[in-house]
Amino acid sequence: WALVMLLLTMFMFSIIFSNGVAYYFEFVDLNVPAQVQTAELVYESFGGIYETLVTLFSAISGGNDWMNYGSVLRLGPGEVYFVIFVFYIFFCLIGLLNVVTGIFVDSAVCTRTEDEVVESYTEEQQRLCGEMKRIFKAADMDRNGTITFEEFCAHVEDPWVQAFLSGLDIDITDARIVYTLLDVDGNGGLTVEEFVDGALKLKGPAKGIDMLAMMFDLVRYSIKFSDFCHFIEVQTEQIKELVRPDLHGSSGGARYKTAAQELDQLAHITNRKVKDVSIPYLDPFEGLARDMDREESC
């Protein structure tokens, strides 16, 4: 499309110059040698559509100096067409050809192979990991393989570290929040793996996968909370049923169930009637009579 645009522009200007040259030839006096010589020069460069296209292409591509053609137009058709020719040169060199060059450069950049893209990504990740490990090594002042919160706060005060983390879009203004996010296991110490992996995850703005994971967790916890609320409501209703006054008795009846009511409910649950349950009869005077007989025998 860029080449089509260039050819279309050249064709439009060639029509303008061809009409101007045709109008100029109508007033050429063949009896004047100077005018005939000038007309021949004009005809060589702008004698037709094809010759004009070649001239216009040569003027912007370096095939000939554009001022040579401009001088011919000034001697022949006049200053008006010379100004139009200068505008054509300015438009093509400053505007159109730069746009065409940009299109070709962008196409060349976008046509990188998949191996080049993977290699570039791998090199960038390795560079970032190397820099993060160097920061970790400098922050680990006691050389125990972990970074405490105090060591972390002391090292992030370094201007170079702040500039590097800012380049990764990691806001270090609140060191406590950043340290807590990096300390995944929550043991109060950062290992090199936690520091590097956490910093790479915090790099840049939130990604689509991060937002999707947050939405998924929110929906899951909402379902659990809804189930918990339903469970609490059911348990509350059951408690109310246990402690409410008996609706079948009088209005001033007992607040709690009687023993008979509890036995009826138990029989309903076990599908057995209370009278079917054999309860041994205990005579309170039987033991007393037995004791008195024992004393008389003694």
Side-chain angles (χ1 to χ4, degrees):
W1 290 107
L3 294 178
V4 172
M5 183 64 185
L6 180 61
L7 292 176
L8 182 61
T9 302
M10 292 171 55
F11 182 74
M12 292 173 58
F13 278 95
S14 65
I15 293 176
I16 295 174
F17 292 127
S18 298
N19 290 334
V21 169
Y23 182 77
Y24 164 72
F25 285 158
E26 293 180 358
F27 297 95
V28 173
D29 191 357
L30 299 178
N31 297 321
V32 179
Q35 293 185 6
V36 174
Q37 185 178 2
T38 302
E40 291 177 355
L41 293 176
V42 173
Y43 183 80
E44 289 178 0
S45 301
F46 302 94
I49 295 295
Y50 177 76
E51 288 79 5
T52 305
L53 284 174
V54 173
T55 299
L56 296 178
F57 180 76
S58 300
I60 63 174
S61 63
N64 198 356
D65 187 60
W66 65 270
M67 193 59 192
N68 294 334
Y69 302 117
S71 299
V72 172
L73 290 175
R74 298 181 72 178
L75 293 176
E79 292 292 334
V80 175
Y81 289 96
F82 173 74
V83 173
I84 297 175
F85 184 74
V86 172
F87 173 77
Y88 162 78
I89 297 298
F90 176 81
F91 176 76
C92 291
L93 294 182
I94 304 301
L96 188 61
L97 290 183
N98 286 337
V99 173
V100 174
T101 303
I103 292 174
F104 278 103
V105 171
D106 183 69
S107 300
V109 171
C110 294
T111 54
R112 295 188 303 171
T113 61
E114 295 181 359
D115 295 337
E116 292 176 346
V117 174
V118 173
E119 183 179 358
S120 176
Y121 175 78
T122 304
E123 291 177 355
E124 180 66 16
Q125 292 295 107
Q126 290 178 352
R127 185 186 69 83
L128 291 177
C129 290
E131 294 293 338
M132 299 302 292
K133 290 180 180 178
R134 186 164 69 89
I135 294 175
F136 180 88
K137 185 177 180 180
D140 187 15
M141 293 180 290
D142 53 5
R143 299 295 184 270
N144 61 350
T146 59
I147 298 178
T148 62
F149 178 69
E150 291 74 15
E151 293 175 338
F152 180 79
C153 292
H155 194 61
V156 294
E157 295 295 331
D158 187 353
W160 185 88
V161 176
Q162 293 181 356
F164 179 77
L165 294 179
S166 297
L168 298 179
D169 293 334
I170 299 178
D171 188 7
I172 204 65
T173 54
D174 196 338
R176 170 63 68 180
I177 295 178
V178 177
Y179 186 85
T180 304
L181 293 175
L182 295 178
D183 189 12
V184 179
D185 53 8
N187 61 355
L190 285 179
T191 62
V192 61
E193 291 81 8
E194 289 178 339
F195 183 74
V196 174
D197 295 340
L200 292 179
K201 291 179 180 179
L202 291 177
K203 173 189 173 184
K207 303 178 180 62
I209 185 66
D210 300 329
M211 301 300 296
L212 185 61
M214 184 178 297
M215 293 174 61
F216 176 77
D217 293 337
L218 181 61
V219 172
R220 184 176 59 181
Y221 292 136
S222 298
I223 295 175
K224 290 184 177 180
F225 183 74
S226 178
D227 295 339
F228 176 74
C229 291
H230 178 69
F231 172 77
I232 294 297
E233 291 178 357
V234 172
Q235 296 298 319
T236 304
E237 291 295 331
Q238 292 180 359
I239 293 174
K240 289 181 178 179
E241 290 291 335
L242 292 175
V243 301
R244 72 176 182 175
D246 188 14
L247 298 179
H248 299 285
S250 61
S251 59
R255 178 176 177 83
Y256 301 100
K257 294 182 179 180
T258 62
Q261 292 174 344
E262 292 291 346
L263 290 176
D264 291 339
Q265 183 178 4
L266 180 62
H268 177 72
I269 294 174
T270 58
N271 294 325
R272 297 178 61 187
K273 296 182 180 180
V274 177
K275 62 180 182 181
D276 295 336
V277 181
S278 59
I279 301 176
Y281 174 76
L282 299 178
D283 188 357
F285 298 100
E286 182 179 357
L288 179 60
R290 189 183 302 112
D291 294 336
M292 291 177 63
D293 293 339
R294 187 182 299 111
E295 291 177 356
E296 290 177 356
S297 61
C298 293

PDB file of all heavy atoms in Angstrom, residues 166-198:
ATOM      1  N   SER A 166      12.337   0.701  40.910  1.00  0.00           N
ATOM      2  CA  SER A 166      11.389   1.601  40.243  1.00  0.00           C
ATOM      3  C   SER A 166      11.297   1.281  38.764  1.00  0.00           C
ATOM      4  O   SER A 166      10.229   1.399  38.154  1.00  0.00           O
ATOM      5  CB  SER A 166      11.817   3.054  40.450  1.00  0.00           C
ATOM      6  OG  SER A 166      11.795   3.393  41.824  1.00  0.00           O
ATOM      7  N   GLY A 167      12.424   0.864  38.168  1.00  0.00           N
ATOM      8  CA  GLY A 167      12.390   0.445  36.769  1.00  0.00           C
ATOM      9  C   GLY A 167      11.549  -0.788  36.550  1.00  0.00           C
ATOM     10  O   GLY A 167      11.011  -1.006  35.460  1.00  0.00           O
ATOM     11  N   LEU A 168      11.394  -1.609  37.594  1.00  0.00           N
ATOM     12  CA  LEU A 168      10.525  -2.789  37.526  1.00  0.00           C
ATOM     13  C   LEU A 168       9.100  -2.478  37.959  1.00  0.00           C
ATOM     14  O   LEU A 168       8.284  -3.398  38.090  1.00  0.00           O
ATOM     15  CB  LEU A 168      11.088  -3.904  38.408  1.00  0.00           C
ATOM     16  CG  LEU A 168      12.467  -4.446  38.038  1.00  0.00           C
ATOM     17  CD1 LEU A 168      12.881  -5.524  39.016  1.00  0.00           C
ATOM     18  CD2 LEU A 168      12.500  -4.969  36.616  1.00  0.00           C
ATOM     19  N   ASP A 169       8.783  -1.213  38.203  1.00  0.00           N
ATOM     20  CA  ASP A 169       7.456  -0.775  38.661  1.00  0.00           C
ATOM     21  C   ASP A 169       7.103  -1.378  40.012  1.00  0.00           C
ATOM     22  O   ASP A 169       5.952  -1.729  40.286  1.00  0.00           O
ATOM     23  CB  ASP A 169       6.365  -1.128  37.635  1.00  0.00           C
ATOM     24  CG  ASP A 169       6.513  -0.337  36.350  1.00  0.00           C
ATOM     25  OD1 ASP A 169       7.079   0.765  36.416  1.00  0.00           O
ATOM     26  OD2 ASP A 169       6.073  -0.815  35.294  1.00  0.00           O
ATOM     27  N   ILE A 170       8.113  -1.498  40.903  1.00  0.00           N
ATOM     28  CA  ILE A 170       7.901  -1.980  42.267  1.00  0.00           C
ATOM     29  C   ILE A 170       8.021  -0.783  43.198  1.00  0.00           C
ATOM     30  O   ILE A 170       9.080  -0.178  43.312  1.00  0.00           O
ATOM     31  CB  ILE A 170       8.923  -3.069  42.639  1.00  0.00           C
ATOM     32  CG1 ILE A 170       8.795  -4.279  41.706  1.00  0.00           C
ATOM     33  CG2 ILE A 170       8.742  -3.495  44.088  1.00  0.00           C
ATOM     34  CD1 ILE A 170       9.810  -5.367  41.977  1.00  0.00           C
ATOM     35  N   ASP A 171       6.902  -0.438  43.843  1.00  0.00           N
ATOM     36  CA  ASP A 171       6.873   0.697  44.765  1.00  0.00           C
ATOM     37  C   ASP A 171       7.448   0.258  46.104  1.00  0.00           C
ATOM     38  O   ASP A 171       6.903  -0.612  46.777  1.00  0.00           O
ATOM     39  CB  ASP A 171       5.439   1.199  44.933  1.00  0.00           C
ATOM     40  CG  ASP A 171       5.378   2.504  45.729  1.00  0.00           C
ATOM     41  OD1 ASP A 171       6.454   3.050  46.020  1.00  0.00           O
ATOM     42  OD2 ASP A 171       4.272   2.965  46.036  1.00  0.00           O
ATOM     43  N   ILE A 172       8.572   0.863  46.486  1.00  0.00           N
ATOM     44  CA  ILE A 172       9.280   0.468  47.687  1.00  0.00           C
ATOM     45  C   ILE A 172       9.044   1.443  48.828  1.00  0.00           C
ATOM     46  O   ILE A 172       9.736   1.397  49.853  1.00  0.00           O
ATOM     47  CB  ILE A 172      10.793   0.333  47.381  1.00  0.00           C
ATOM     48  CG1 ILE A 172      11.474  -0.615  48.368  1.00  0.00           C
ATOM     49  CG2 ILE A 172      11.454   1.701  47.350  1.00  0.00           C
ATOM     50  CD1 ILE A 172      11.006  -2.026  48.267  1.00  0.00           C
ATOM     51  N   THR A 173       8.058   2.342  48.686  1.00  0.00           N
ATOM     52  CA  THR A 173       7.820   3.338  49.728  1.00  0.00           C
ATOM     53  C   THR A 173       7.406   2.680  51.038  1.00  0.00           C
ATOM     54  O   THR A 173       7.779   3.149  52.114  1.00  0.00           O
ATOM     55  CB  THR A 173       6.730   4.324  49.267  1.00  0.00           C
ATOM     56  OG1 THR A 173       5.559   3.591  48.881  1.00  0.00           O
ATOM     57  CG2 THR A 173       7.224   5.142  48.092  1.00  0.00           C
ATOM     58  N   ASP A 174       6.621   1.621  50.985  1.00  0.00           N
ATOM     59  CA  ASP A 174       6.235   0.883  52.188  1.00  0.00           C
ATOM     60  C   ASP A 174       6.965  -0.455  52.181  1.00  0.00           C
ATOM     61  O   ASP A 174       6.529  -1.437  51.580  1.00  0.00           O
ATOM     62  CB  ASP A 174       4.718   0.664  52.224  1.00  0.00           C
ATOM     63  CG  ASP A 174       4.226   0.256  53.607  1.00  0.00           C
ATOM     64  OD1 ASP A 174       5.058  -0.251  54.381  1.00  0.00           O
ATOM     65  OD2 ASP A 174       3.041   0.444  53.893  1.00  0.00           O
ATOM     66  N   ALA A 175       8.124  -0.477  52.856  1.00  0.00           N
ATOM     67  CA  ALA A 175       8.967  -1.672  52.832  1.00  0.00           C
ATOM     68  C   ALA A 175       8.305  -2.840  53.543  1.00  0.00           C
ATOM     69  O   ALA A 175       8.513  -4.002  53.170  1.00  0.00           O
ATOM     70  CB  ALA A 175      10.322  -1.366  53.463  1.00  0.00           C
ATOM     71  N   ARG A 176       7.495  -2.578  54.568  1.00  0.00           N
ATOM     72  CA  ARG A 176       6.860  -3.661  55.305  1.00  0.00           C
ATOM     73  C   ARG A 176       5.911  -4.460  54.415  1.00  0.00           C
ATOM     74  O   ARG A 176       5.881  -5.685  54.453  1.00  0.00           O
ATOM     75  CB  ARG A 176       6.104  -3.093  56.511  1.00  0.00           C
ATOM     76  CG  ARG A 176       5.204  -4.074  57.235  1.00  0.00           C
ATOM     77  CD  ARG A 176       5.980  -5.233  57.838  1.00  0.00           C
ATOM     78  NE  ARG A 176       6.822  -4.788  58.937  1.00  0.00           N
ATOM     79  CZ  ARG A 176       7.599  -5.615  59.637  1.00  0.00           C
ATOM     80  NH1 ARG A 176       7.657  -6.905  59.303  1.00  0.00           N
ATOM     81  NH2 ARG A 176       8.348  -5.151  60.616  1.00  0.00           N
ATOM     82  N   ILE A 177       5.120  -3.765  53.600  1.00  0.00           N
ATOM     83  CA  ILE A 177       4.183  -4.460  52.711  1.00  0.00           C
ATOM     84  C   ILE A 177       4.942  -5.295  51.679  1.00  0.00           C
ATOM     85  O   ILE A 177       4.612  -6.457  51.422  1.00  0.00           O
ATOM     86  CB  ILE A 177       3.253  -3.452  52.028  1.00  0.00           C
ATOM     87  CG1 ILE A 177       2.367  -2.759  53.068  1.00  0.00           C
ATOM     88  CG2 ILE A 177       2.388  -4.130  50.968  1.00  0.00           C
ATOM     89  CD1 ILE A 177       1.453  -1.712  52.494  1.00  0.00           C
ATOM     90  N   VAL A 178       5.986  -4.716  51.082  1.00  0.00           N
ATOM     91  CA  VAL A 178       6.761  -5.438  50.073  1.00  0.00           C
ATOM     92  C   VAL A 178       7.426  -6.664  50.693  1.00  0.00           C
ATOM     93  O   VAL A 178       7.434  -7.755  50.112  1.00  0.00           O
ATOM     94  CB  VAL A 178       7.790  -4.498  49.431  1.00  0.00           C
ATOM     95  CG1 VAL A 178       8.662  -5.261  48.433  1.00  0.00           C
ATOM     96  CG2 VAL A 178       7.097  -3.341  48.731  1.00  0.00           C
ATOM     97  N   TYR A 179       7.994  -6.495  51.871  1.00  0.00           N
ATOM     98  CA  TYR A 179       8.660  -7.626  52.536  1.00  0.00           C
ATOM     99  C   TYR A 179       7.665  -8.733  52.871  1.00  0.00           C
ATOM    100  O   TYR A 179       7.963  -9.922  52.700  1.00  0.00           O
ATOM    101  CB  TYR A 179       9.351  -7.136  53.803  1.00  0.00           C
ATOM    102  CG  TYR A 179      10.188  -8.182  54.487  1.00  0.00           C
ATOM    103  CD1 TYR A 179      11.501  -8.417  54.085  1.00  0.00           C
ATOM    104  CD2 TYR A 179       9.669  -8.946  55.523  1.00  0.00           C
ATOM    105  CE1 TYR A 179      12.273  -9.385  54.710  1.00  0.00           C
ATOM    106  CE2 TYR A 179      10.427  -9.918  56.144  1.00  0.00           C
ATOM    107  CZ  TYR A 179      11.732 -10.136  55.736  1.00  0.00           C
ATOM    108  OH  TYR A 179      12.485 -11.103  56.340  1.00  0.00           O
ATOM    109  N   THR A 180       6.473  -8.353  53.331  1.00  0.00           N
ATOM    110  CA  THR A 180       5.457  -9.355  53.655  1.00  0.00           C
ATOM    111  C   THR A 180       5.008 -10.110  52.415  1.00  0.00           C
ATOM    112  O   THR A 180       4.789 -11.326  52.452  1.00  0.00           O
ATOM    113  CB  THR A 180       4.252  -8.670  54.320  1.00  0.00           C
ATOM    114  OG1 THR A 180       4.689  -7.941  55.473  1.00  0.00           O
ATOM    115  CG2 THR A 180       3.213  -9.692  54.730  1.00  0.00           C
ATOM    116  N   LEU A 181       4.868  -9.415  51.284  1.00  0.00           N
ATOM    117  CA  LEU A 181       4.477 -10.074  50.040  1.00  0.00           C
ATOM    118  C   LEU A 181       5.566 -11.008  49.534  1.00  0.00           C
ATOM    119  O   LEU A 181       5.271 -12.065  48.960  1.00  0.00           O
ATOM    120  CB  LEU A 181       4.147  -9.021  48.974  1.00  0.00           C
ATOM    121  CG  LEU A 181       2.914  -8.157  49.234  1.00  0.00           C
ATOM    122  CD1 LEU A 181       2.787  -7.092  48.157  1.00  0.00           C
ATOM    123  CD2 LEU A 181       1.654  -9.001  49.288  1.00  0.00           C
ATOM    124  N   LEU A 182       6.827 -10.637  49.750  1.00  0.00           N
ATOM    125  CA  LEU A 182       7.917 -11.491  49.286  1.00  0.00           C
ATOM    126  C   LEU A 182       8.106 -12.710  50.180  1.00  0.00           C
ATOM    127  O   LEU A 182       8.492 -13.773  49.706  1.00  0.00           O
ATOM    128  CB  LEU A 182       9.219 -10.683  49.225  1.00  0.00           C
ATOM    129  CG  LEU A 182       9.281  -9.532  48.207  1.00  0.00           C
ATOM    130  CD1 LEU A 182      10.602  -8.801  48.314  1.00  0.00           C
ATOM    131  CD2 LEU A 182       9.075 -10.036  46.793  1.00  0.00           C
ATOM    132  N   ASP A 183       7.838 -12.561  51.476  1.00  0.00           N
ATOM    133  CA  ASP A 183       8.005 -13.664  52.419  1.00  0.00           C
ATOM    134  C   ASP A 183       6.790 -14.583  52.319  1.00  0.00           C
ATOM    135  O   ASP A 183       5.805 -14.444  53.058  1.00  0.00           O
ATOM    136  CB  ASP A 183       8.169 -13.108  53.833  1.00  0.00           C
ATOM    137  CG  ASP A 183       8.554 -14.189  54.832  1.00  0.00           C
ATOM    138  OD1 ASP A 183       8.905 -15.302  54.384  1.00  0.00           O
ATOM    139  OD2 ASP A 183       8.494 -13.923  56.038  1.00  0.00           O
ATOM    140  N   VAL A 184       6.855 -15.538  51.420  1.00  0.00           N
ATOM    141  CA  VAL A 184       5.703 -16.403  51.144  1.00  0.00           C
ATOM    142  C   VAL A 184       5.397 -17.318  52.321  1.00  0.00           C
ATOM    143  O   VAL A 184       4.239 -17.468  52.723  1.00  0.00           O
ATOM    144  CB  VAL A 184       5.954 -17.225  49.869  1.00  0.00           C
ATOM    145  CG1 VAL A 184       4.776 -18.148  49.587  1.00  0.00           C
ATOM    146  CG2 VAL A 184       6.208 -16.304  48.691  1.00  0.00           C
ATOM    147  N   ASP A 185       6.430 -17.955  52.898  1.00  0.00           N
ATOM    148  CA  ASP A 185       6.186 -18.897  53.988  1.00  0.00           C
ATOM    149  C   ASP A 185       5.987 -18.213  55.329  1.00  0.00           C
ATOM    150  O   ASP A 185       5.595 -18.855  56.301  1.00  0.00           O
ATOM    151  CB  ASP A 185       7.331 -19.904  54.093  1.00  0.00           C
ATOM    152  CG  ASP A 185       8.696 -19.224  54.189  1.00  0.00           C
ATOM    153  OD1 ASP A 185       8.734 -17.976  54.329  1.00  0.00           O
ATOM    154  OD2 ASP A 185       9.716 -19.927  54.120  1.00  0.00           O
ATOM    155  N   GLY A 186       6.237 -16.905  55.410  1.00  0.00           N
ATOM    156  CA  GLY A 186       5.978 -16.155  56.636  1.00  0.00           C
ATOM    157  C   GLY A 186       6.873 -16.502  57.804  1.00  0.00           C
ATOM    158  O   GLY A 186       6.482 -16.322  58.963  1.00  0.00           O
ATOM    159  N   ASN A 187       8.098 -16.987  57.540  1.00  0.00           N
ATOM    160  CA  ASN A 187       9.015 -17.342  58.633  1.00  0.00           C
ATOM    161  C   ASN A 187       9.895 -16.182  59.073  1.00  0.00           C
ATOM    162  O   ASN A 187      10.785 -16.364  59.912  1.00  0.00           O
ATOM    163  CB  ASN A 187       9.886 -18.524  58.208  1.00  0.00           C
ATOM    164  CG  ASN A 187      10.735 -18.195  56.976  1.00  0.00           C
ATOM    165  OD1 ASN A 187      10.599 -17.120  56.387  1.00  0.00           O
ATOM    166  ND2 ASN A 187      11.578 -19.133  56.576  1.00  0.00           N
ATOM    167  N   GLY A 188       9.688 -15.009  58.514  1.00  0.00           N
ATOM    168  CA  GLY A 188      10.469 -13.847  58.921  1.00  0.00           C
ATOM    169  C   GLY A 188      11.812 -13.717  58.243  1.00  0.00           C
ATOM    170  O   GLY A 188      12.609 -12.849  58.622  1.00  0.00           O
ATOM    171  N   GLY A 189      12.089 -14.539  57.237  1.00  0.00           N
ATOM    172  CA  GLY A 189      13.351 -14.464  56.504  1.00  0.00           C
ATOM    173  C   GLY A 189      13.136 -14.743  55.032  1.00  0.00           C
ATOM    174  O   GLY A 189      12.376 -15.642  54.671  1.00  0.00           O
ATOM    175  N   LEU A 190      13.805 -13.974  54.192  1.00  0.00           N
ATOM    176  CA  LEU A 190      13.687 -14.134  52.739  1.00  0.00           C
ATOM    177  C   LEU A 190      14.858 -14.952  52.220  1.00  0.00           C
ATOM    178  O   LEU A 190      16.024 -14.601  52.447  1.00  0.00           O
ATOM    179  CB  LEU A 190      13.670 -12.771  52.044  1.00  0.00           C
ATOM    180  CG  LEU A 190      12.402 -11.926  52.132  1.00  0.00           C
ATOM    181  CD1 LEU A 190      12.593 -10.611  51.403  1.00  0.00           C
ATOM    182  CD2 LEU A 190      11.227 -12.674  51.551  1.00  0.00           C
ATOM    183  N   THR A 191      14.549 -16.031  51.511  1.00  0.00           N
ATOM    184  CA  THR A 191      15.583 -16.769  50.799  1.00  0.00           C
ATOM    185  C   THR A 191      15.782 -16.155  49.414  1.00  0.00           C
ATOM    186  O   THR A 191      14.996 -15.318  48.977  1.00  0.00           O
ATOM    187  CB  THR A 191      15.214 -18.248  50.685  1.00  0.00           C
ATOM    188  OG1 THR A 191      13.993 -18.348  49.921  1.00  0.00           O
ATOM    189  CG2 THR A 191      14.992 -18.867  52.057  1.00  0.00           C
ATOM    190  N   VAL A 192      16.827 -16.572  48.745  1.00  0.00           N
ATOM    191  CA  VAL A 192      17.103 -16.009  47.427  1.00  0.00           C
ATOM    192  C   VAL A 192      16.014 -16.389  46.437  1.00  0.00           C
ATOM    193  O   VAL A 192      15.651 -15.595  45.549  1.00  0.00           O
ATOM    194  CB  VAL A 192      18.501 -16.470  46.929  1.00  0.00           C
ATOM    195  CG1 VAL A 192      18.549 -17.990  46.799  1.00  0.00           C
ATOM    196  CG2 VAL A 192      18.863 -15.808  45.616  1.00  0.00           C
ATOM    197  N   GLU A 193      15.439 -17.599  46.578  1.00  0.00           N
ATOM    198  CA  GLU A 193      14.360 -18.001  45.676  1.00  0.00           C
ATOM    199  C   GLU A 193      13.113 -17.158  45.912  1.00  0.00           C
ATOM    200  O   GLU A 193      12.455 -16.723  44.961  1.00  0.00           O
ATOM    201  CB  GLU A 193      14.037 -19.493  45.859  1.00  0.00           C
ATOM    202  CG  GLU A 193      15.125 -20.445  45.381  1.00  0.00           C
ATOM    203  CD  GLU A 193      16.236 -20.597  46.386  1.00  0.00           C
ATOM    204  OE1 GLU A 193      16.078 -20.064  47.523  1.00  0.00           O
ATOM    205  OE2 GLU A 193      17.265 -21.222  46.073  1.00  0.00           O
ATOM    206  N   GLU A 194      12.761 -16.938  47.171  1.00  0.00           N
ATOM    207  CA  GLU A 194      11.601 -16.115  47.471  1.00  0.00           C
ATOM    208  C   GLU A 194      11.790 -14.681  46.982  1.00  0.00           C
ATOM    209  O   GLU A 194      10.856 -14.073  46.446  1.00  0.00           O
ATOM    210  CB  GLU A 194      11.335 -16.107  48.978  1.00  0.00           C
ATOM    211  CG  GLU A 194      10.816 -17.413  49.523  1.00  0.00           C
ATOM    212  CD  GLU A 194      10.612 -17.354  51.029  1.00  0.00           C
ATOM    213  OE1 GLU A 194      11.227 -16.476  51.665  1.00  0.00           O
ATOM    214  OE2 GLU A 194       9.846 -18.172  51.560  1.00  0.00           O
ATOM    215  N   PHE A 195      12.988 -14.157  47.152  1.00  0.00           N
ATOM    216  CA  PHE A 195      13.247 -12.773  46.748  1.00  0.00           C
ATOM    217  C   PHE A 195      13.171 -12.615  45.234  1.00  0.00           C
ATOM    218  O   PHE A 195      12.528 -11.694  44.733  1.00  0.00           O
ATOM    219  CB  PHE A 195      14.634 -12.347  47.260  1.00  0.00           C
ATOM    220  CG  PHE A 195      14.976 -10.929  46.955  1.00  0.00           C
ATOM    221  CD1 PHE A 195      14.378  -9.884  47.645  1.00  0.00           C
ATOM    222  CD2 PHE A 195      15.891 -10.619  45.958  1.00  0.00           C
ATOM    223  CE1 PHE A 195      14.691  -8.573  47.364  1.00  0.00           C
ATOM    224  CE2 PHE A 195      16.201  -9.310  45.666  1.00  0.00           C
ATOM    225  CZ  PHE A 195      15.603  -8.277  46.371  1.00  0.00           C
ATOM    226  N   VAL A 196      13.804 -13.506  44.502  1.00  0.00           N
ATOM    227  CA  VAL A 196      13.824 -13.396  43.037  1.00  0.00           C
ATOM    228  C   VAL A 196      12.434 -13.659  42.454  1.00  0.00           C
ATOM    229  O   VAL A 196      11.935 -12.872  41.636  1.00  0.00           O
ATOM    230  CB  VAL A 196      14.870 -14.353  42.442  1.00  0.00           C
ATOM    231  CG1 VAL A 196      14.802 -14.347  40.920  1.00  0.00           C
ATOM    232  CG2 VAL A 196      16.267 -13.954  42.894  1.00  0.00           C
ATOM    233  N   ASP A 197      11.800 -14.766  42.857  1.00  0.00           N
ATOM    234  CA  ASP A 197      10.480 -15.087  42.308  1.00  0.00           C
ATOM    235  C   ASP A 197       9.445 -14.033  42.677  1.00  0.00           C
ATOM    236  O   ASP A 197       8.621 -13.640  41.838  1.00  0.00           O
ATOM    237  CB  ASP A 197      10.030 -16.460  42.822  1.00  0.00           C
ATOM    238  CG  ASP A 197      10.909 -17.583  42.322  1.00  0.00           C
ATOM    239  OD1 ASP A 197      11.612 -17.369  41.307  1.00  0.00           O
ATOM    240  OD2 ASP A 197      10.902 -18.667  42.937  1.00  0.00           O
ATOM    241  N   GLY A 198       9.471 -13.581  43.918  1.00  0.00           N
ATOM    242  CA  GLY A 198       8.511 -12.563  44.336  1.00  0.00           C
ATOM    243  C   GLY A 198       8.708 -11.244  43.619  1.00  0.00           C
ATOM    244  O   GLY A 198       7.731 -10.589  43.222  1.00  0.00           O
TER     245      GLY A 198
END
